[in-house]
Amino acid sequence: MSQSHAAAAGGRPARLRARPHALALALHLALAGALLALPLQAAAQAAEAATPRQTYAIPAGPLGDVLAQFAATAGVRLAFDPALVAGKQSGGLQGSHTVSDGFARILAGSGFELAELGGGAYSLRKAPPPPAPEATLPAVTVTGEKFERPLEETLSSVAVTTSQDFAEHGDQTVTDVMMRTPGVYTQSGNENWGIRGVPVSGFDEQGAGTMNGAVTVFVDGAAQPHRLVTLSPLNLWDAEQLEVFRGAQSTTQGRNSLAGAVVLKTKDPTFRPEFAVQANAGRFGERGASALANGTLVDGTVAARLAVDYQTGDGYIRNETLGEDANRQRAMNARGKLLIQPTDRLNILLTLARTEHRSGSQAVAVVDGKPRYFSLFLNTEEEHELDQDTGVAKIDYFLSDAWTLTSLTTGTWAEYRSVLDFDQGTAREREAIRKHRQRLASQELRLSYEAEALTGFVGVYYGRHTNDIDDRLNLRISGVEDPALIANGDVRIRNTAVFGEANWEFVDRWQLIGGLRYDREKNETAFDYVDPLGFATVQNIEADTSFEELLPKIGLSHELSDDHLIGVLWKRGYRGGGIDLSTNTAHSPYDPEYTSTWELSWRGSWLDERLRTSANLFHTDWKDQQVEVSDENGIATVANAARARMRGLELGADYRATPALQLFLGASYIDAKYREFMFDGQDLSGQKFPFAPKYKLAVGGSYTFGNGLQVGADIVHQSDSVTLATNDDGLVVERPNDRVTLVNFSATYRMGKAFSLSGYVKNLFDERYIVNNQGGDTLDAGAPRTLGVAVRYDF
């Protein structure tokens, strides 16, 4: 029942190497962009020819002289008072420009603007001062439900964090955001996290090779492999918005969204030049560098954006046996985007991303029944390596003002390699080795409609997910590794769906919401064992399973006023069945599991949009729950052996007290427990879910001073929880995990428009706390105090 190290896969982690599929994808995307760019460039040149342009070579000098020389060369009349621009300098003008573009470039940042008098005559006037910051909250748009909708009109329980929020809180990763998100719990190193008491992996404990999760994470529209979202905390460099949906999203997102979905959107290319570099350093050997470049390739038609981030660190855990850092980390993320807009009605966005992640052990030792912060005693150097390439092609064709046709094509290639200390100690030398190769490909075609009283979409989906598994257990005798067990698995999942949703305002201020998804899934699994020492439960197995489901959603909302909305939603959640992928089990098939959720929602806006509030009250019944049990031979297996109930409340508030001061508050109450669950003859009915804290509270804010300094702080309290583990008598027992209150601080000092210095402190008071008391000689502990600084330059 505990989160433990299962037997694992093939060969020690290899050196980084280029992979043909990634190079092929890059070539295909580049070729597609080149072929599209040829006619687009011709069209752009034709459009440019219609607007007179001249070539200028005006040197830098006083602004008045530069303006006069430009007007004379352009053949236009410009009237202005020389005293108005006295003392002002200009960088001159070089290259080919239209009249309006030339004036705009010369006057940029001068405090003046052009006034057109007609007949080729112009005058100069002072530009109005920039508007004072408004004491209102910025508008927030939710995109993760397949069409754009204001946050205040969204009934689903969703926490939205923007790029401005990332900066104000000093967020480095998605985990930093989820740490303060109500209704979400996190643990050290992102190994285990969950929504509304449900772990991201579900309760079936199939380990690193699982392809069925309870929460799907999307990055730029591409679903991420399970191992990435439990191993890597997902860096936020050049990210635009993060949406955390709490509760089933099966009607909209399909498989693996039983407990919720996480949608991360990175910044798209624009036609405005943008360049930035950043260097950072921090405690525990943290070092990093980041860069981004954005600009126009074909004026008004093609733009590109490139973002690169590299981070490394020693980690805060020490392996005392080997005398080295136990959790050294290295992460590299590179992403290129190409935006092509050949016409006003066609938008093409191509994305190619590369992720490399390296890390070690997240556990700490238990000595005399107490955790040894932050030490570990293993005779194996544990390693995790993940290399992943992702390609996304999103095409939007605007058929009319109301109709849009969207095509979303994604492909992901991921390879995970690891070495684990199988016995988690020093008495014996047993290594569990993994090598997993996962491939995800999907195609979605969606037709959307948006009018004053009716919005909605219909779509079709096809997805294919494969996993080649090579797990082995090695015994080291006299320094020589001998394989004790080798497991080779081959898993193929095909998923097809037809889906749709409509939102209809049938009378003034009343809206009906309806959605339906037909989902079909086929799973083919094969396992073969090489078993020189007789450890294997089975020698080989081949199994096929298939499922089809209807997943409805229905709701009703009512605008009490222009500022307040209430609504009710009912939705069915679903996670497909499959074959148990845990190594050295019977690999038995299991059926789908289902949830039924009622949710009451309220959204409010107060004080002239300075205060935004939200509340979601929910009740979920869970049947045919997939859990780990023992079969008649005492072998662990996944079975539909439980029923459960979850209920709770999630609250949120954002308040712009002044233009400089913004405050936030979030809270959640989650009561999640099994209604029926027999484990090896032990009745666990009424047992609360493992890892699920009942209460979570986050409060904080940020303040911006007039000199460019911005400071922020937040306090996060999470109540205690339990880990369910099996004791020496074979009985399931509760092991306590600590309640904790964490204080975090961040600050940014901007010196002009280009240069900024920022810093953060997480866990300011260095709290020591247990997050997974799994039993045995190790457990997982929360991170100690961490801090860092960064220097950024935009140009």
Side-chain angles (χ1 to χ4, degrees):
M1 296 292 294
S2 64
Q3 298 286 320
S4 59
H5 296 279
R12 282 189 172 274
R15 297 280 185 183
L16 293 178
R17 56 191 183 280
R19 284 182 281 162
H21 55 257
L23 298 177
L25 176 62
L27 291 173
H28 288 159
L29 291 176
L31 179 59
L35 292 175
L36 286 167
L38 291 175
L40 301 180
Q41 187 172 11
Q45 290 172 347
E48 290 172 2
T51 304
R53 304 175 70 92
Q54 291 191 52
T55 300
Y56 302 89
I58 303 175
L63 177 60
D65 294 346
V66 172
L67 285 169
Q69 185 176 347
F70 174 76
T73 306
V76 299
R77 290 172 294 166
L78 175 65
F80 65 93
D81 183 358
L84 189 67
V85 295
K88 296 282 187 179
Q89 296 293 312
S90 169
L93 184 67
Q94 307 291 326
S96 177
H97 302 279
T98 64
V99 172
S100 59
D101 178 54
F103 272 126
R105 290 176 180 267
I106 293 172
L107 294 173
S110 68
F112 298 96
E113 65 180 14
L114 198 67
E116 188 172 355
L117 304 177
Y122 301 87
S123 66
L124 199 65
R125 65 190 179 196
K126 285 188 175 182
E134 296 184 7
T136 59
L137 293 168
V140 176
T141 301
V142 178
T143 64
E145 293 186 308
K146 298 195 183 294
F147 55 79
E148 295 184 355
R149 180 161 41 201
L151 177 62
E152 58 268 21
E153 298 176 12
T154 302
L155 294 186
S156 296
S157 181
V158 57
V160 181
T161 311
T162 65
S163 57
Q164 181 179 343
D165 299 323
F166 301 151
E168 290 178 356
H169 292 277
D171 297 323
Q172 312 297 310
T173 67
V174 170
T175 301
D176 292 338
V177 178
M178 293 196 296
M179 278 289 291
R180 66 175 182 273
T181 301
V184 179
Y185 73 84
T186 59
Q187 294 185 2
S188 61
N190 209 45
E191 189 74 17
N192 183 28
W193 54 274
I195 296 177
R196 289 185 172 175
V198 183
V200 60
S201 307
F203 290 104
D204 48 347
E205 300 195 28
Q206 296 188 56
T210 186
M211 298 159 69
N212 283 5
V215 180
T216 299
V217 177
F218 298 90
V219 178
D220 290 328
Q224 302 300 294
H226 174 77
R227 199 57 185 132
L228 176 72
V229 302
T230 56
L231 184 66
S232 169
L234 294 177
N235 190 275
L236 291 175
W237 173 252
D238 206 36
E240 181 175 290
Q241 184 163 293
L242 178 70
E243 302 172 15
V244 179
F245 289 88
R246 296 164 293 210
Q249 297 295 309
S250 301
T251 306
T252 305
Q253 306 294 0
R255 70 185 308 267
N256 294 350
S257 300
L258 178 89
V262 177
V263 179
L264 177 63
K265 178 73 173 63
T266 64
K267 293 183 178 180
D268 291 336
T270 67
F271 293 97
R272 178 177 61 86
E274 182 182 359
F275 304 92
V277 292
Q278 178 175 288
N280 63 281
R283 193 182 182 193
F284 304 115
E286 177 188 326
R287 307 172 294 283
S290 312
L292 70 87
N294 178 93
T296 300
L297 299 183
V298 178
D299 194 20
T301 303
V302 182
R305 190 178 190 92
L306 176 66
V308 180
D309 177 76
Y310 179 85
Q311 300 293 325
T312 184
D314 298 330
Y316 51 82
I317 301 173
R318 181 77 175 171
N319 188 332
E320 305 293 352
T321 301
L322 299 179
E324 61 185 22
D325 295 315
N327 189 24
R328 290 187 295 267
Q329 300 187 21
R330 178 168 67 86
M332 190 284 295
N333 294 276
R335 180 175 54 256
K337 287 189 168 185
L338 189 66
L339 174 65
I340 306 170
Q341 295 178 329
T343 71
D344 291 340
R345 293 190 176 276
L346 183 61
N347 192 89
I348 303 169
L349 181 62
L350 306 177
T351 304
L352 182 63
R354 167 77 174 179
T355 296
E356 298 173 3
H357 179 86
R358 308 290 183 265
S359 62
S361 176
Q362 294 288 350
V364 300
V366 176
V367 179
D368 296 328
K370 297 181 179 179
R372 175 75 67 86
Y373 299 101
F374 285 91
S375 296
L376 190 60
F377 300 93
L378 300 179
N379 54 12
T380 297
E381 181 183 356
E382 295 199 327
E383 301 170 300
H384 299 271
E385 297 187 0
L386 178 70
D387 296 330
Q388 178 174 311
D389 298 300
T390 301
V392 181
K394 184 175 185 288
I395 302 174
D396 291 302
Y397 184 60
F398 305 99
L399 303 171
S400 68
D401 290 342
W403 293 94
T404 303
L405 182 64
T406 299
S407 171
L408 181 64
T409 307
T410 72
T412 298
W413 297 262
E415 182 173 304
Y416 167 65
R417 304 176 296 276
S418 69
V419 177
L420 303 177
D421 191 314
F422 186 73
D423 52 80
Q424 290 292 284
T426 60
R428 292 173 290 182
E429 292 190 85
R430 299 195 296 178
E431 294 180 344
I433 302 174
R434 294 185 174 120
K435 183 184 292 183
H436 298 169
R437 296 184 180 90
Q438 293 200 34
R439 308 289 184 266
L440 291 82
S442 70
Q443 174 63 57
E444 181 175 293
L445 193 63
R446 187 171 70 247
L447 181 64
S448 303
Y449 178 79
E450 183 173 358
E452 184 175 351
L454 178 66
T455 60
F457 57 83
V458 293
V460 293
Y461 171 86
Y462 173 79
R464 180 177 174 83
H465 188 179
T466 66
N467 193 2
D468 297 326
I469 299 172
D470 182 2
D471 285 2
R472 64 183 63 199
L473 174 63
N474 287 350
L475 301 182
R476 184 181 294 272
I477 302 173
S478 301
V480 178
E481 289 186 0
D482 290 323
L485 180 66
I486 300 174
N488 295 310
D490 181 19
V491 186
R492 302 285 182 265
I493 295 176
R494 292 193 299 272
N495 182 212
T496 56
V498 180
F499 60 91
E501 182 176 327
N503 296 253
W504 175 38
E505 188 175 6
F506 58 97
V507 296
D508 187 40
R509 295 186 180 272
W510 287 88
Q511 187 175 80
L512 184 65
I513 302 164
L516 185 65
R517 185 184 190 95
Y518 168 75
D519 202 87
R520 179 175 175 82
E521 185 175 322
K522 183 174 178 60
N523 184 308
E524 301 171 311
T525 300
F527 264 89
D528 294 310
Y529 284 86
V530 177
D531 183 22
L533 299 182
F535 284 169
T537 300
V538 296
Q539 293 302 318
N540 56 74
I541 187 172
E542 294 185 5
D544 296 346
T545 58
S546 60
F547 316 96
E548 54 184 36
E549 299 296 337
L550 284 176
L551 305 170
K553 176 174 73 172
I554 189 167
L556 181 68
S557 68
H558 175 54
E559 293 183 19
L560 299 173
S561 68
D562 291 341
D563 296 323
H564 294 274
L565 176 79
I566 60 171
V568 59
L569 270 177
W570 175 84
K571 49 192 174 182
R572 191 184 196 206
Y574 159 82
R575 186 166 71 140
I579 310 296
D580 186 357
L581 299 184
S582 302
T583 302
N584 200 23
T585 67
H587 300 294
S588 302
Y590 54 90
D591 293 327
E593 56 184 348
Y594 307 92
T595 61
S596 173
T597 300
W598 285 98
E599 192 153 346
L600 297 176
S601 305
W602 168 64
R603 304 290 180 264
S605 180
W606 314 75
L607 304 175
D608 296 326
E609 300 183 0
R610 292 165 54 199
L611 174 63
R612 183 186 297 137
T613 55
S614 66
N616 283 77
L617 179 69
F618 67 91
H619 179 100
T620 298
D621 288 312
W622 194 342
K623 70 174 185 177
D624 299 329
Q625 189 175 4
Q626 299 164 7
V627 291
E628 182 185 275
V629 297
S630 297
D631 63 16
E632 62 275 9
N633 298 314
I635 299 170
T637 189
V638 176
N640 303 88
R643 294 174 62 92
R645 183 265 294 149
M646 301 175 292
R647 60 189 179 194
L649 175 67
E650 292 145 353
L651 302 172
D654 291 284
Y655 178 42
R656 177 77 73 172
T658 71
L661 176 63
Q662 182 164 334
L663 305 172
F664 80 93
L665 180 144
S668 62
Y669 165 81
I670 309 291
D671 181 19
K673 61 180 61 177
Y674 297 108
R675 278 185 168 175
E676 300 175 9
F677 184 17
M678 295 294 295
F679 179 81
D680 293 357
Q682 183 180 358
D683 189 359
L684 297 181
S685 302
Q687 172 65 54
K688 60 184 178 181
F689 283 1
F691 313 120
K694 182 167 285 189
Y695 303 101
K696 187 169 184 178
L697 175 67
V699 60
S702 63
Y703 188 86
T704 303
F705 295 88
N707 62 357
L709 175 64
Q710 182 182 71
V711 296
D714 58 72
I715 302 172
V716 180
H717 173 78
Q718 185 169 284
S719 63
D720 57 2
S721 65
V722 299
T723 297
L724 299 183
T726 306
N727 64 14
D728 294 338
D729 297 325
L731 296 177
V732 175
V733 296
E734 290 186 355
R735 296 186 181 276
N737 301 320
D738 295 330
R739 68 168 57 92
V740 65
T741 300
L742 301 177
V743 178
N744 308 306
F745 177 82
S746 64
T748 300
Y749 181 55
R750 293 178 175 83
M751 291 167 275
K753 295 182 178 180
F755 184 77
S756 64
L757 176 66
S758 60
Y760 70 89
V761 181
K762 305 291 185 183
N763 190 3
L764 178 64
F765 297 109
D766 203 22
E767 298 288 343
R768 304 296 174 91
Y769 59 103
I770 300 169
V771 296
N772 182 9
N773 194 353
Q774 58 193 344
D777 296 328
T778 61
L779 54 76
D780 294 338
R785 180 193 301 118
T786 58
L787 53 90
V789 295
V791 178
R792 174 169 173 151
Y793 187 78
D794 293 82
F795 54 95

